[in-house]
Amino acid sequence: MLTTGVLLGSVVALPVVTAAPAHANTTQCLNYLHLQKYKIGPKSKAACKKATKSKTARAEAVYDLRSLGVRRGHAETAGDYAFWGRDRH
Protein backbone atom coordinates (compact mmCIF):
# COMPACT_ATOMS: atom_id res chain seq x y z
CA MET A 1 0.00 0.00 0.00
CA LEU A 2 2.81 2.40 0.88
CA THR A 3 4.65 1.68 -2.39
CA THR A 4 1.56 2.51 -4.46
CA GLY A 5 1.18 5.85 -2.69
CA VAL A 6 4.82 6.76 -3.27
CA LEU A 7 4.62 5.89 -6.97
CA LEU A 8 1.40 7.80 -7.41
CA GLY A 9 2.87 10.84 -5.67
CA SER A 10 5.94 10.85 -7.91
CA VAL A 11 3.89 10.50 -11.08
CA VAL A 12 1.64 13.38 -10.12
CA ALA A 13 4.56 15.65 -9.17
CA LEU A 14 6.55 15.14 -12.40
CA PRO A 15 4.49 17.38 -14.73
CA VAL A 16 4.53 20.17 -12.17
CA VAL A 17 8.32 20.11 -11.97
CA THR A 18 8.95 19.98 -15.74
CA ALA A 19 6.49 22.67 -16.83
CA ALA A 20 7.92 26.19 -16.89
CA PRO A 21 5.47 28.98 -16.12
CA ALA A 22 4.84 31.37 -19.02
CA HIS A 23 5.48 34.43 -16.86
CA ALA A 24 8.99 33.19 -16.12
CA ASN A 25 9.75 32.90 -19.82
CA THR A 26 8.24 36.33 -20.46
CA THR A 27 10.58 37.72 -17.83
CA GLN A 28 13.56 36.00 -19.44
CA CYS A 29 12.64 37.58 -22.78
CA LEU A 30 12.34 41.03 -21.24
CA ASN A 31 15.54 40.66 -19.24
CA TYR A 32 17.43 39.71 -22.39
CA LEU A 33 16.09 42.76 -24.24
CA HIS A 34 17.02 44.97 -21.29
CA LEU A 35 20.56 43.57 -21.25
CA GLN A 36 20.82 44.43 -24.93
CA LYS A 37 19.96 48.06 -24.02
CA TYR A 38 16.41 48.19 -25.42
CA LYS A 39 13.70 50.17 -23.66
CA ILE A 40 11.05 47.94 -22.17
CA GLY A 41 7.49 49.17 -22.59
CA PRO A 42 3.98 47.81 -23.05
CA LYS A 43 4.58 46.71 -26.66
CA SER A 44 7.74 44.76 -25.91
CA LYS A 45 6.05 43.20 -22.88
CA ALA A 46 3.09 42.18 -25.05
CA ALA A 47 5.42 40.68 -27.67
CA CYS A 48 7.33 38.63 -25.09
CA LYS A 49 4.08 37.41 -23.55
CA LYS A 50 2.71 36.49 -26.99
CA ALA A 51 5.85 34.48 -27.80
CA THR A 52 5.17 32.06 -24.92
CA LYS A 53 1.97 30.71 -26.49
CA SER A 54 3.06 28.77 -29.62
CA LYS A 55 5.68 28.59 -32.35
CA THR A 56 3.45 30.67 -34.62
CA ALA A 57 2.93 33.25 -31.89
CA ARG A 58 6.70 33.30 -31.29
CA ALA A 59 7.27 34.16 -34.97
CA GLU A 60 4.66 36.92 -34.74
CA ALA A 61 6.32 38.25 -31.59
CA VAL A 62 9.71 38.36 -33.32
CA TYR A 63 8.07 40.41 -36.09
CA ASP A 64 6.50 42.70 -33.45
CA LEU A 65 9.88 43.22 -31.77
CA ARG A 66 11.52 43.94 -35.14
CA SER A 67 8.87 46.59 -35.83
CA LEU A 68 9.88 48.21 -32.51
CA GLY A 69 13.47 48.52 -33.72
CA VAL A 70 14.95 45.39 -32.13
CA ARG A 71 17.76 43.93 -34.24
CA ARG A 72 16.91 40.62 -35.92
CA GLY A 73 19.28 38.45 -33.88
CA HIS A 74 18.16 40.04 -30.63
CA ALA A 75 14.48 39.61 -31.53
CA GLU A 76 15.06 35.95 -32.42
CA THR A 77 16.92 35.27 -29.16
CA ALA A 78 14.29 37.08 -27.09
CA GLY A 79 11.59 35.02 -28.81
CA ASP A 80 13.50 31.84 -28.05
CA TYR A 81 13.78 32.77 -24.38
CA ALA A 82 10.06 33.48 -24.27
CA PHE A 83 8.99 30.27 -26.02
CA TRP A 84 11.61 27.75 -24.88
CA GLY A 85 13.00 29.36 -21.73
CA ARG A 86 16.63 29.83 -20.86
CA ASP A 87 17.24 26.10 -20.37
CA ARG A 88 16.39 25.15 -23.96
CA HIS A 89 18.05 28.10 -25.69
Side-chain angles (χ1 to χ4, degrees):
M1 180 82 165
L2 180 61
T3 305
T4 305
V6 171
L7 288 175
L8 180 59
S10 63
V11 171
V12 172
L14 183 60
V16 174
V17 173
T18 59
H23 69 84
N25 291 354
T26 301
T27 301
Q28 291 174 8
C29 174
L30 293 170
N31 285 343
Y32 174 78
L33 291 172
H34 177 72
L35 287 172
Q36 301 307 316
K37 309 293 188 217
Y38 295 104
K39 282 189 172 182
I40 303 301
K43 291 180 182 179
S44 56
K45 288 179 184 177
C48 284
K49 185 175 182 179
K50 179 194 287 187
T52 66
K53 298 181 187 300
S54 69
K55 287 183 181 180
T56 301
R58 181 215 166 270
E60 292 171 3
V62 168
Y63 178 84
D64 294 347
L65 290 170
R66 296 278 294 131
S67 71
L68 295 173
V70 176
R71 288 179 42 205
R72 181 179 173 195
H74 292 159
E76 292 282 346
T77 300
D80 287 347
Y81 282 147
F83 186 70
W84 298 108
R86 204 170 289 273
D87 296 335
R88 296 266 322 255
H89 178 73

XYZ file of all heavy atoms in Angstrom:
675
model
N 0.834 -1.183 0.000
C 0.000 0.000 0.000
C 0.878 1.245 0.000
O 0.644 2.168 -0.735
C -0.931 -0.035 1.211
C -1.822 1.141 1.302
S -3.244 0.879 0.235
C -4.299 2.107 0.829
N 1.924 1.253 0.798
C 2.810 2.401 0.877
C 3.527 2.630 -0.456
O 3.654 3.748 -0.923
C 3.836 2.208 1.994
C 4.846 3.341 2.190
C 4.108 4.631 2.533
C 5.821 2.988 3.288
N 3.950 1.581 -1.113
C 4.649 1.679 -2.393
C 3.750 2.321 -3.442
O 4.172 3.178 -4.202
C 5.110 0.291 -2.876
O 5.890 -0.305 -1.859
C 5.901 0.404 -4.153
N 2.502 1.938 -3.497
C 1.559 2.511 -4.456
C 1.406 4.003 -4.231
O 1.405 4.784 -5.170
C 0.182 1.819 -4.339
O 0.364 0.420 -4.501
C -0.772 2.348 -5.376
N 1.314 4.425 -3.007
C 1.181 5.846 -2.688
C 2.403 6.645 -3.092
O 2.313 7.745 -3.612
N 3.580 6.090 -2.895
C 4.822 6.764 -3.271
C 4.914 6.896 -4.780
O 5.252 7.936 -5.309
C 6.051 6.010 -2.701
C 7.339 6.580 -3.262
C 6.051 6.078 -1.190
N 4.588 5.830 -5.511
C 4.621 5.888 -6.970
C 3.611 6.885 -7.500
O 3.911 7.670 -8.397
C 4.359 4.506 -7.574
C 5.471 3.485 -7.437
C 5.011 2.138 -7.982
C 6.710 3.946 -8.186
N 2.426 6.876 -6.964
C 1.398 7.798 -7.410
C 1.827 9.233 -7.149
O 1.703 10.095 -8.008
C 0.064 7.503 -6.700
C -1.100 8.405 -7.089
C -1.370 8.301 -8.581
C -2.340 8.033 -6.306
N 2.408 9.488 -5.990
C 2.868 10.838 -5.667
C 3.953 11.308 -6.607
O 3.974 12.455 -7.030
N 4.867 10.438 -7.006
C 5.942 10.850 -7.906
C 5.432 11.074 -9.316
O 5.905 11.950 -10.022
C 7.078 9.825 -7.895
O 6.620 8.585 -8.385
N 4.451 10.319 -9.749
C 3.887 10.503 -11.084
C 3.125 11.821 -11.154
O 3.234 12.550 -12.123
C 2.972 9.311 -11.461
C 2.222 9.597 -12.747
C 3.801 8.048 -11.593
N 2.405 12.142 -10.142
C 1.637 13.380 -10.120
C 2.561 14.594 -10.060
O 2.323 15.601 -10.705
C 0.648 13.393 -8.931
C -0.002 14.740 -8.774
C -0.387 12.301 -9.126
N 3.665 14.511 -9.350
C 4.557 15.649 -9.173
C 5.389 15.940 -10.419
O 5.776 17.064 -10.655
C 5.480 15.407 -7.989
N 5.662 14.966 -11.253
C 6.546 15.141 -12.402
C 6.109 16.255 -13.353
O 6.908 17.124 -13.674
C 6.711 13.813 -13.155
C 7.671 13.836 -14.336
C 9.076 14.225 -13.859
C 7.697 12.495 -15.018
N 4.855 16.302 -13.818
C 4.486 17.382 -14.731
C 4.627 18.771 -14.105
O 4.955 19.719 -14.789
C 3.033 17.089 -15.072
C 2.864 15.639 -14.787
C 3.813 15.325 -13.668
N 4.409 18.885 -12.834
C 4.529 20.172 -12.166
C 5.978 20.651 -12.188
O 6.255 21.820 -12.412
C 4.001 20.076 -10.712
C 4.242 21.363 -9.965
C 2.535 19.706 -10.715
N 6.906 19.754 -12.008
C 8.320 20.108 -11.975
C 8.837 20.475 -13.360
O 9.609 21.394 -13.525
C 9.149 18.940 -11.381
C 10.631 19.202 -11.498
C 8.764 18.713 -9.929
N 8.398 19.773 -14.407
C 8.946 19.983 -15.743
C 8.317 21.151 -16.492
O 8.907 21.661 -17.419
C 8.803 18.711 -16.603
O 7.430 18.376 -16.703
C 9.602 17.567 -16.020
N 7.149 21.574 -16.121
C 6.486 22.672 -16.830
C 6.997 24.019 -16.326
O 6.996 24.293 -15.144
C 4.970 22.585 -16.622
N 7.446 24.848 -17.254
C 7.919 26.191 -16.893
C 6.759 27.171 -17.023
O 6.048 27.157 -18.011
C 9.053 26.621 -17.811
N 6.556 28.022 -16.032
C 5.466 28.982 -16.124
C 5.743 30.019 -17.204
O 6.874 30.452 -17.405
C 5.428 29.628 -14.733
C 6.739 29.323 -14.110
C 7.281 28.097 -14.785
N 4.697 30.412 -17.917
C 4.836 31.373 -19.017
C 5.387 32.710 -18.536
O 6.179 33.343 -19.230
C 3.493 31.570 -19.708
N 4.997 33.135 -17.339
C 5.482 34.433 -16.859
C 6.984 34.428 -16.648
O 7.647 35.445 -16.837
C 4.735 34.878 -15.595
C 5.034 34.049 -14.395
N 6.123 34.261 -13.594
C 4.382 32.999 -13.853
C 6.138 33.379 -12.613
N 5.095 32.601 -12.756
N 7.540 33.270 -16.288
C 8.995 33.187 -16.116
C 9.696 33.362 -17.452
O 10.708 34.053 -17.553
C 9.384 31.863 -15.483
N 9.160 32.757 -18.504
C 9.749 32.897 -19.820
C 9.566 34.306 -20.363
O 10.444 34.819 -21.062
C 9.168 31.863 -20.780
C 9.612 30.453 -20.434
O 10.432 30.238 -19.559
N 9.068 29.491 -21.128
N 8.442 34.938 -20.064
C 8.235 36.334 -20.459
C 9.293 37.209 -19.806
O 9.891 38.068 -20.454
C 6.819 36.809 -20.053
O 5.849 35.978 -20.684
C 6.595 38.255 -20.437
N 9.564 36.962 -18.554
C 10.581 37.720 -17.826
C 11.960 37.505 -18.431
O 12.745 38.445 -18.565
C 10.572 37.332 -16.332
O 9.273 37.599 -15.801
C 11.607 38.103 -15.551
N 12.273 36.274 -18.809
C 13.563 36.000 -19.440
C 13.705 36.768 -20.745
O 14.778 37.316 -21.040
C 13.717 34.498 -19.688
C 13.874 33.699 -18.421
C 13.875 32.201 -18.667
O 13.900 31.748 -19.802
N 13.855 31.439 -17.595
N 12.658 36.819 -21.529
C 12.645 37.576 -22.781
C 12.902 39.058 -22.511
O 13.759 39.687 -23.140
C 11.292 37.378 -23.470
S 10.999 38.365 -24.948
N 12.186 39.613 -21.568
C 12.335 41.034 -21.239
C 13.709 41.343 -20.651
O 14.316 42.365 -20.981
C 11.228 41.460 -20.272
C 9.812 41.438 -20.856
C 8.777 41.631 -19.757
C 9.664 42.484 -21.948
N 14.206 40.463 -19.804
C 15.545 40.660 -19.236
C 16.607 40.658 -20.329
O 17.537 41.473 -20.299
C 15.864 39.582 -18.196
C 15.144 39.795 -16.895
O 14.641 40.876 -16.603
N 15.063 38.744 -16.096
N 16.476 39.757 -21.286
C 17.428 39.706 -22.390
C 17.399 41.021 -23.173
O 18.450 41.594 -23.486
C 17.126 38.519 -23.318
C 18.011 38.534 -24.534
C 19.334 38.106 -24.462
C 17.544 39.016 -25.746
C 20.159 38.149 -25.570
C 18.356 39.066 -26.861
C 19.665 38.631 -26.768
O 20.485 38.698 -27.864
N 16.204 41.503 -23.490
C 16.093 42.762 -24.235
C 16.696 43.914 -23.437
O 17.388 44.773 -23.998
C 14.627 43.048 -24.575
C 13.992 42.102 -25.592
C 12.496 42.369 -25.687
C 14.660 42.242 -26.954
N 16.457 43.931 -22.157
C 17.015 44.973 -21.289
C 18.544 44.916 -21.297
O 19.211 45.950 -21.390
C 16.467 44.824 -19.875
C 17.035 45.799 -18.907
N 16.703 47.138 -18.919
C 17.934 45.649 -17.901
C 17.385 47.758 -17.970
N 18.134 46.875 -17.331
N 19.097 43.718 -21.220
C 20.555 43.566 -21.246
C 21.156 44.022 -22.577
O 22.317 44.426 -22.634
C 20.939 42.113 -20.984
C 20.777 41.632 -19.550
C 21.003 40.127 -19.460
C 21.721 42.374 -18.621
N 20.355 43.968 -23.627
C 20.818 44.426 -24.931
C 20.570 45.930 -25.125
O 20.745 46.458 -26.210
C 20.127 43.635 -26.056
C 20.357 42.141 -25.996
C 21.827 41.770 -25.920
O 22.654 42.318 -26.632
N 22.153 40.841 -25.034
N 20.145 46.599 -24.053
C 19.962 48.058 -24.018
C 18.714 48.571 -24.742
O 18.675 49.703 -25.206
C 21.195 48.795 -24.577
C 22.515 48.371 -23.971
C 22.605 48.770 -22.534
C 24.022 48.490 -22.035
N 24.086 48.023 -20.711
N 17.678 47.735 -24.843
C 16.412 48.186 -25.417
C 15.508 48.685 -24.296
O 15.547 48.164 -23.178
C 15.703 47.057 -26.169
C 16.457 46.590 -27.383
C 17.172 45.405 -27.373
C 16.474 47.361 -28.547
C 17.881 44.975 -28.485
C 17.181 46.937 -29.667
C 17.878 45.754 -29.625
O 18.587 45.338 -30.723
N 14.701 49.700 -24.614
C 13.701 50.171 -23.658
C 12.583 49.137 -23.585
O 12.148 48.616 -24.601
C 13.112 51.511 -24.101
C 13.993 52.679 -23.827
C 13.228 53.961 -24.104
C 14.034 55.150 -23.647
N 13.302 56.404 -23.865
N 12.137 48.894 -22.381
C 11.049 47.942 -22.168
C 9.771 48.742 -21.912
O 9.716 49.567 -21.012
C 11.341 47.024 -20.963
C 12.669 46.284 -21.148
C 10.193 46.056 -20.740
C 12.748 45.430 -22.373
N 8.776 48.493 -22.731
C 7.494 49.168 -22.590
C 6.362 48.189 -22.817
O 6.583 46.969 -22.943
N 5.149 48.692 -22.899
C 3.982 47.812 -23.047
C 4.027 46.947 -24.314
O 3.599 45.795 -24.295
C 2.787 48.762 -23.091
C 3.292 50.102 -22.722
C 4.776 50.091 -22.778
N 4.551 47.481 -25.412
C 4.577 46.710 -26.665
C 5.599 45.578 -26.608
O 5.327 44.477 -27.089
C 4.860 47.630 -27.850
C 3.707 48.578 -28.131
C 4.000 49.483 -29.312
C 2.856 50.449 -29.543
N 3.120 51.342 -30.668
N 6.754 45.831 -26.022
C 7.741 44.755 -25.909
C 7.269 43.711 -24.899
O 7.475 42.509 -25.095
C 9.123 45.300 -25.541
O 9.080 46.058 -24.355
N 6.603 44.148 -23.844
C 6.049 43.197 -22.875
C 4.988 42.320 -23.531
O 4.964 41.106 -23.328
C 5.437 43.933 -21.683
C 6.466 44.545 -20.765
C 5.811 45.294 -19.615
C 6.855 45.972 -18.758
N 6.255 46.766 -17.677
N 4.138 42.937 -24.353
C 3.090 42.177 -25.045
C 3.706 41.181 -26.025
O 3.237 40.036 -26.139
C 2.146 43.122 -25.775
N 4.766 41.581 -26.717
C 5.422 40.684 -27.672
C 6.032 39.490 -26.946
O 5.878 38.344 -27.384
C 6.484 41.435 -28.465
N 6.718 39.737 -25.850
C 7.328 38.631 -25.088
C 6.264 37.689 -24.536
O 6.437 36.465 -24.567
C 8.206 39.176 -23.967
S 9.795 39.820 -24.537
N 5.167 38.247 -24.075
C 4.085 37.412 -23.553
C 3.465 36.584 -24.675
O 3.184 35.395 -24.506
C 3.024 38.279 -22.869
C 1.941 37.491 -22.199
C 0.993 38.380 -21.431
C -0.062 37.552 -20.734
N -0.983 38.388 -19.956
N 3.280 37.198 -25.842
C 2.714 36.490 -26.992
C 3.592 35.311 -27.377
O 3.097 34.230 -27.704
C 2.577 37.442 -28.180
C 2.020 36.783 -29.440
C 2.197 37.634 -30.689
C 1.264 38.802 -30.718
N 1.332 39.541 -32.011
N 4.900 35.505 -27.351
C 5.847 34.479 -27.801
C 5.791 33.205 -26.970
O 6.246 32.159 -27.427
C 7.263 35.047 -27.802
N 5.240 33.252 -25.785
C 5.174 32.065 -24.924
C 4.095 31.078 -25.363
O 4.123 29.929 -24.955
C 4.902 32.443 -23.449
O 3.595 33.020 -23.340
C 5.947 33.397 -22.915
N 3.179 31.504 -26.211
C 1.973 30.713 -26.494
C 2.148 29.578 -27.500
O 1.588 28.510 -27.317
C 0.862 31.648 -26.940
C 0.496 32.651 -25.856
C -0.618 33.561 -26.294
C -0.884 34.664 -25.301
N -1.261 34.243 -23.992
N 2.889 29.795 -28.587
C 3.063 28.767 -29.618
C 4.215 29.170 -30.530
O 4.699 30.309 -30.466
C 1.779 28.612 -30.448
O 1.568 29.766 -31.248
N 4.620 28.257 -31.400
C 5.684 28.589 -32.350
C 5.240 29.679 -33.309
O 6.022 30.556 -33.667
C 6.117 27.346 -33.123
C 6.917 26.367 -32.303
C 7.374 25.199 -33.135
C 8.161 24.217 -32.291
N 8.626 23.071 -33.073
N 3.987 29.633 -33.725
C 3.454 30.667 -34.620
C 3.423 32.008 -33.905
O 3.821 33.034 -34.470
C 2.037 30.290 -35.108
O 2.105 29.041 -35.786
C 1.469 31.351 -36.025
N 2.972 32.015 -32.665
C 2.929 33.255 -31.886
C 4.337 33.782 -31.637
O 4.563 34.988 -31.633
C 2.205 33.024 -30.557
N 5.304 32.878 -31.468
C 6.697 33.296 -31.292
C 7.184 34.036 -32.534
O 7.820 35.075 -32.445
C 7.597 32.081 -31.025
C 9.054 32.447 -30.816
C 9.958 31.344 -31.401
N 11.320 31.798 -31.524
C 11.794 32.397 -32.629
N 11.028 32.600 -33.657
N 13.044 32.792 -32.678
N 6.873 33.500 -33.715
C 7.269 34.156 -34.970
C 6.618 35.533 -35.100
O 7.258 36.502 -35.521
C 6.911 33.270 -36.158
N 5.360 35.633 -34.716
C 4.660 36.922 -34.743
C 5.300 37.902 -33.765
O 5.445 39.090 -34.054
C 3.182 36.734 -34.402
C 2.400 35.975 -35.448
C 1.003 35.607 -34.986
O 0.600 35.986 -33.859
O 0.299 34.928 -35.748
N 5.688 37.400 -32.608
C 6.316 38.250 -31.592
C 7.666 38.770 -32.072
O 8.015 39.929 -31.819
C 6.469 37.485 -30.282
N 8.422 37.923 -32.758
C 9.707 38.364 -33.317
C 9.453 39.495 -34.313
O 10.150 40.511 -34.302
C 10.467 37.185 -33.973
C 11.646 37.674 -34.795
C 10.932 36.210 -32.894
N 8.439 39.353 -35.148
C 8.071 40.415 -36.088
C 7.690 41.691 -35.326
O 8.105 42.791 -35.702
C 6.912 39.938 -36.977
C 6.438 40.986 -37.939
C 7.085 41.180 -39.158
C 5.350 41.793 -37.633
C 6.658 42.160 -40.043
C 4.916 42.769 -38.504
C 5.570 42.955 -39.708
O 5.142 43.935 -40.578
N 6.907 41.541 -34.271
C 6.504 42.695 -33.455
C 7.732 43.399 -32.865
O 7.810 44.637 -32.886
C 5.568 42.266 -32.315
C 4.228 41.750 -32.794
O 3.892 41.927 -33.993
O 3.514 41.142 -31.970
N 8.666 42.630 -32.345
C 9.877 43.223 -31.774
C 10.705 43.926 -32.847
O 11.237 45.011 -32.623
C 10.716 42.149 -31.063
C 10.122 41.591 -29.767
C 10.921 40.375 -29.295
C 10.075 42.667 -28.685
N 10.786 43.310 -34.030
C 11.519 43.938 -35.135
C 10.885 45.269 -35.507
O 11.585 46.242 -35.778
C 11.540 43.011 -36.363
C 12.285 41.724 -36.160
C 13.767 41.842 -36.334
N 14.075 42.159 -37.720
C 14.892 43.142 -38.100
N 15.503 43.873 -37.218
N 15.112 43.387 -39.368
N 9.560 45.337 -35.485
C 8.867 46.587 -35.830
C 9.098 47.670 -34.776
O 8.921 48.853 -35.050
C 7.370 46.349 -36.035
O 6.732 46.081 -34.796
N 9.547 47.256 -33.577
C 9.877 48.209 -32.513
C 11.335 48.668 -32.588
O 11.784 49.457 -31.771
C 9.614 47.584 -31.139
C 8.166 47.242 -30.813
C 8.078 46.472 -29.504
C 7.332 48.514 -30.743
N 12.076 48.117 -33.556
C 13.466 48.515 -33.717
C 14.478 47.557 -33.126
O 15.668 47.860 -33.071
N 14.032 46.379 -32.695
C 14.948 45.389 -32.133
C 15.656 44.694 -33.299
O 15.009 44.280 -34.270
C 14.183 44.359 -31.267
C 15.106 43.267 -30.756
C 13.491 45.066 -30.100
N 16.982 44.608 -33.207
C 17.761 43.925 -34.245
C 17.296 42.482 -34.397
O 16.851 41.856 -33.420
C 19.241 43.950 -33.903
C 19.856 45.332 -34.057
C 21.313 45.380 -33.708
N 22.042 44.218 -34.232
C 23.166 43.759 -33.713
N 23.697 44.331 -32.647
N 23.772 42.708 -34.237
N 17.424 41.954 -35.607
C 16.906 40.620 -35.919
C 17.417 39.544 -34.955
O 16.634 38.770 -34.398
C 17.278 40.253 -37.348
C 16.769 38.898 -37.757
C 17.134 38.590 -39.184
N 16.777 37.216 -39.497
C 17.208 36.578 -40.541
N 18.010 37.175 -41.394
N 16.853 35.345 -40.759
N 18.720 39.471 -34.768
C 19.275 38.445 -33.878
C 18.790 38.579 -32.448
O 18.519 37.578 -31.778
N 18.657 39.808 -31.995
C 18.164 40.038 -30.631
C 16.688 39.642 -30.517
O 16.277 39.058 -29.507
C 18.351 41.499 -30.225
C 19.788 41.894 -30.070
N 20.192 43.207 -30.139
C 20.901 41.169 -29.856
C 21.506 43.260 -29.968
N 21.959 42.022 -29.797
N 15.896 39.971 -31.541
C 14.475 39.615 -31.526
C 14.298 38.097 -31.539
O 13.455 37.552 -30.817
C 13.755 40.248 -32.713
N 15.119 37.411 -32.353
C 15.059 35.946 -32.421
C 15.421 35.323 -31.067
O 14.746 34.410 -30.595
C 16.003 35.419 -33.506
C 15.584 35.762 -34.913
C 14.465 34.880 -35.443
O 14.171 33.831 -34.836
O 13.883 35.265 -36.475
N 16.487 35.814 -30.458
C 16.918 35.267 -29.164
C 15.876 35.543 -28.083
O 15.557 34.660 -27.278
C 18.283 35.843 -28.760
O 19.247 35.494 -29.766
C 18.749 35.298 -27.421
N 15.336 36.750 -28.071
C 14.293 37.081 -27.089
C 13.082 36.167 -27.276
O 12.512 35.663 -26.304
C 13.891 38.548 -27.223
N 12.700 35.927 -28.532
C 11.589 35.023 -28.814
C 11.873 33.606 -28.350
O 10.997 32.919 -27.826
N 13.122 33.169 -28.525
C 13.504 31.837 -28.052
C 13.404 31.744 -26.536
O 12.906 30.753 -25.995
C 14.938 31.503 -28.474
C 15.058 31.192 -29.952
O 14.026 30.983 -30.617
O 16.205 31.163 -30.436
N 13.887 32.770 -25.838
C 13.782 32.770 -24.379
C 12.321 32.725 -23.945
O 11.972 32.031 -22.992
C 14.460 33.991 -23.773
C 15.963 33.897 -23.709
C 16.747 35.033 -23.847
C 16.622 32.697 -23.489
C 18.132 34.975 -23.780
C 17.993 32.612 -23.423
C 18.748 33.750 -23.560
O 20.111 33.685 -23.487
N 11.478 33.457 -24.639
C 10.058 33.481 -24.271
C 9.402 32.122 -24.518
O 8.668 31.623 -23.675
C 9.329 34.570 -25.044
N 9.666 31.530 -25.671
C 8.992 30.275 -26.016
C 9.622 29.067 -25.336
O 8.922 28.242 -24.751
C 8.979 30.065 -27.528
C 8.182 28.857 -27.936
C 6.800 28.845 -27.805
C 8.813 27.727 -28.409
C 6.053 27.727 -28.146
C 8.083 26.600 -28.755
C 6.703 26.601 -28.637
N 10.926 28.932 -25.405
C 11.611 27.747 -24.884
C 12.103 27.918 -23.447
O 12.295 26.933 -22.766
C 12.825 27.401 -25.740
C 12.485 27.062 -27.146
C 12.725 27.832 -28.233
C 11.835 25.887 -27.625
N 12.265 27.197 -29.364
C 11.723 26.010 -29.023
C 11.337 24.742 -27.000
C 11.139 25.021 -29.805
C 10.756 23.760 -27.796
C 10.662 23.906 -29.169
N 12.384 29.132 -23.033
C 12.999 29.362 -21.735
C 14.508 29.303 -21.861
O 15.049 28.888 -22.878
N 15.177 29.739 -20.855
C 16.634 29.832 -20.864
C 17.290 28.450 -20.950
O 18.368 28.296 -21.515
C 17.109 30.569 -19.613
C 18.453 31.215 -19.768
C 18.763 32.117 -18.620
N 18.002 33.331 -18.573
C 18.318 34.463 -19.193
N 19.377 34.512 -19.942
N 17.583 35.526 -19.077
N 16.653 27.437 -20.401
C 17.243 26.097 -20.375
C 17.337 25.466 -21.755
O 18.225 24.680 -22.022
C 16.448 25.177 -19.452
C 16.492 25.631 -18.017
O 17.449 26.316 -17.631
O 15.559 25.279 -17.278
N 16.417 25.776 -22.630
C 16.388 25.152 -23.956
C 17.083 25.992 -25.013
O 17.238 25.569 -26.130
C 14.938 24.912 -24.392
C 14.178 23.944 -23.556
C 14.169 22.503 -24.023
N 14.096 22.270 -25.420
C 13.032 21.851 -26.084
N 11.903 21.672 -25.461
N 13.092 21.605 -27.375
N 17.452 27.202 -24.696
C 18.055 28.095 -25.693
C 19.472 27.699 -25.982
O 20.249 27.310 -25.217
C 17.984 29.536 -25.224
C 18.618 30.467 -26.189
N 18.001 30.765 -27.375
C 19.788 31.110 -26.174
C 18.793 31.588 -28.041
N 19.887 31.820 -27.327
